[in-house]
């Protein structure tokens, strides 16, 4: 270090050379009238003492690779804590701990290790056993992996329980069916002809609005009919054709005989009352119902053979839904035979039993289907990506050569549940034959072409015969989409509780259930005695 004082005593230059060849200097100007020689001397001594430390700290900061400082302000922020003895080592500690976590990431966790029950217990054990950082990291990893396994197992258990709940019949609904069946045998009024003889000609009158509903759920059927009639501007022009199975027929007939939906007309028929539904006409469906392998698939152990470690809960839920026993029910497949079951009708609206009608549907009969057979809402376009993002690849196995050859995976799918069928145009097609043909192929392939019920073969059979209609007419997803927008629900003409969480089940979504329960007649004696109100 060198000290140079100018002859005029008005400036002082302090310079020093570092080991890398650079020369650092500091020049101080002073005014003789403001500073004494004693003060100047002390100032020079202090600066001469501090300057080497400043240069050393600057070099240390540079060598440590910290963020570059482009200003004196930045340099001050970096050097200040060091000059004052307050060094922030948190960044270095984080880096060290991250390095330790990486080291134990792939290490084998001993089987005998006893894991703490909670984070507080872990901290306590650290204090008592003086864990080093590596042991702490290993214990933390083991606890996290155990927690992940337990959450995953709980999620799969929840999905299984939900599947069983969705597939079973609630006690209250079973009670309703039994009591109404008993009423049919003991009460003549419950056996009253539906509809009355004077209205029989209207069952084939094409000037009326004909609805077709296929179900074995009496309570659900009552909601569909009631909501349709109450929402209609022309209820006296409505004719309902309800098809049910043989075991439910008496109870279904009793309900609508004792609770007429006037001024609408209701017809109740069992599948056993249709002469056309013979084994010769529905051989494929009889095979579906009676084939042992198929029955085992839908009614057997849904966990056996399933590798839960290689699937996600969402994928597992989809597989469970595809194994619902309803998909091998004849009632679920009857929609493909509507032209034969109602040979005198030209146009009908088909409804599923898990829908609620909120607006007048008479304008549906004015929609021009442009020669197509099926007026349906497409399910690949919409704001809800979970519900309205369905393409053919969501329903079919495109690794199967027949599927890959005949279908486009990106083709838009459409929805069952609220469909306008032009039966006159339908009768000029081979839709039913195509449906049967692909059902046979899927049976021969051991259900490797698709798994999910009646929609996949219908997507093939109706190919080229679908006319898209406005999504306003049919809102889907209320049975599996908890985040359904309530305002959108209120605006929709038909809301569909497709999915497991039906509104008549305890697993139904509480905030969406009122749209359905408002059409349940809780003052009815059968409803009250079977505690329907208590169950939903």
């Amino acid at each position: 270090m060198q000290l140079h004082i100018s002859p005029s005593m008005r400036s002082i230059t302090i310079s020093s050379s570092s080991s890398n060849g650079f020369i650092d200097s500091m020049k101080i100007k002073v005014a003789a009238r403001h500073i004494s020689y004693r003060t100047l001397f002390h100032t020079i001594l202090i600066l001469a003492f501090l300057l080497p430390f400043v240069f050393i700290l600057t070099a240390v900061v540079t060598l440590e690779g910290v963020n570059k400082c482009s200003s004196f302000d930045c340099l001050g922020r970096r050097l200040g804590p060091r000059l004052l003895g307050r060094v922030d080592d948190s960044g270095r500690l984080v880096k060290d701990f991250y390095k330790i976590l990486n080291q134990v990431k792939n290490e084998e966790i001993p089987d005998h290790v006893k894991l703490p029950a909670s984070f507080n217990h872990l901290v306590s054990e650290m204090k008592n056993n003086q864990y080093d950082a590596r042991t702490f990291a290993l214990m933390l990893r083991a606890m996290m992996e155990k927690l992940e396994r337990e959450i995953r197992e709980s999620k799969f258990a929840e999905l299984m329980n939900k599947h069983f709940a969705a597939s079973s019949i609630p006690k209250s609904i079973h009670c309703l069916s039994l009591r109404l069946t008993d009423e049919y045998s003991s009460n003549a009024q419950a056996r009253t002809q539906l509809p009355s003889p004077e209205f029989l000609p209207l069952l084939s009158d094409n000037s009326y609005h004909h609805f077709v509903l296929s179900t074995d759920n009496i309570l659900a059927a009552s909601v569909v009919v009631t909501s349709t009639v109450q929402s209609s501007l022309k209820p006296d022009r409505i004719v309902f054709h309800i098809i049910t199975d043989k075991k439910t027929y008496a109870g279904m007939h009793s309900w609508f005989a004792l609770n007429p939906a006037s001024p609408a007309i209701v017809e109740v028929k069992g599948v056993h009352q249709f002469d056309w539904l013979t084994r010769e006409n529905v051989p494929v469906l009889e095979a579906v119902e009676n084939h042992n392998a198929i029955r085992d698939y839908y009614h057997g152990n849904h966990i056996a053979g399933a590798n839960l470690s290689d699937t996600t809960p969402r994928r597992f839920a989809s597989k469970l839904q595809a194994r619902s026993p309803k998909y091998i029910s004849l009632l679920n497949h009857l929609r493909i035979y509507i032209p034969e079951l109602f040979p005198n009708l030209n146009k009908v609206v088909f409804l599923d039993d898990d829908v609620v009608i909120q607006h007048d549907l008479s304008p549906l009969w004015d929609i021009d289907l442009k020669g197509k057979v099926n007026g349906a809402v497409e399910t690949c376009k919409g704001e809800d990506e979970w519900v309205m993002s369905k393409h053919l690849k969501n329903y079919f196995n495109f690794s199967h050569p027949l599927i890959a050859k005949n279908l486009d995976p990106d083709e838009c799918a459409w929805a069952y549940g609220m469909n306008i069928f032009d039966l006159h145009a339908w009768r000029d097609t081979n839709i039913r034959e195509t449906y049967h043909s692909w059902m046979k192929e899927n049976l021969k392939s051991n259900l490797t072409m698709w798994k999910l019920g009646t929609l996949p073969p219908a997507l093939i059979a109706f190919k080229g015969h679908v006319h898209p209609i406005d999504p306003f007419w049919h809102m889907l997803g209320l049975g599996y989409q908890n985040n359904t927008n309530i305002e959108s629900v209120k605006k929709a003409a038909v809301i569909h509780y497709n999915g497991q969480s039906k509104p008549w089940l305890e697993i139904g979504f509480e905030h969406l259930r009122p749209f359905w329960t408002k059409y349940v007649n809780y003052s009815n004696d059968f409803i009250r005695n079977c505690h329907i109100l208590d169950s939903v």
Side-chain angles (χ1 to χ4, degrees), residues 15-34:
S15 61
S16 66
S17 58
S18 59
S19 59
N20 57 12
F22 291 100
I23 299 177
D24 296 297
S25 64
M26 180 183 294
K27 186 173 182 180
I28 304 172
K29 292 183 179 181
V30 296
R33 64 181 179 272
H34 294 299

Side-chain angles (χ1 to χ4, degrees), residues 143-215:
M143 290 178 65
M144 289 293 293
E145 289 181 354
K146 179 186 176 186
L147 183 62
E148 288 175 356
R149 285 194 302 271
E150 291 175 348
I151 292 175
R152 185 180 176 82
E153 290 170 1
S154 297
K155 186 63 179 176
F156 282 119
E158 176 192 352
L159 291 172
M160 279 302 304
N161 292 334
K162 189 173 183 179
H163 173 70
F164 292 138
S167 303
S168 61
I169 301 174
K171 182 179 178 181
S172 57
I173 292 181
H174 186 59
C175 163
L176 182 65
S177 180
L178 290 178
R179 285 178 178 267
L180 287 168
T181 300
D182 180 66
E183 193 73 12
Y184 184 84
S185 63
S186 60
N187 185 347
Q189 186 180 352
R191 298 192 299 272
T192 302
Q193 183 177 345
L194 289 178
S196 301
E198 64 269 25
F199 294 122
L200 287 177
L202 301 182
L203 296 179
S204 56
D205 187 338
N206 284 292
S207 67
Y208 280 72
H209 299 153
H210 294 266
F211 294 88
V212 177
L213 174 64
S214 176
T215 180

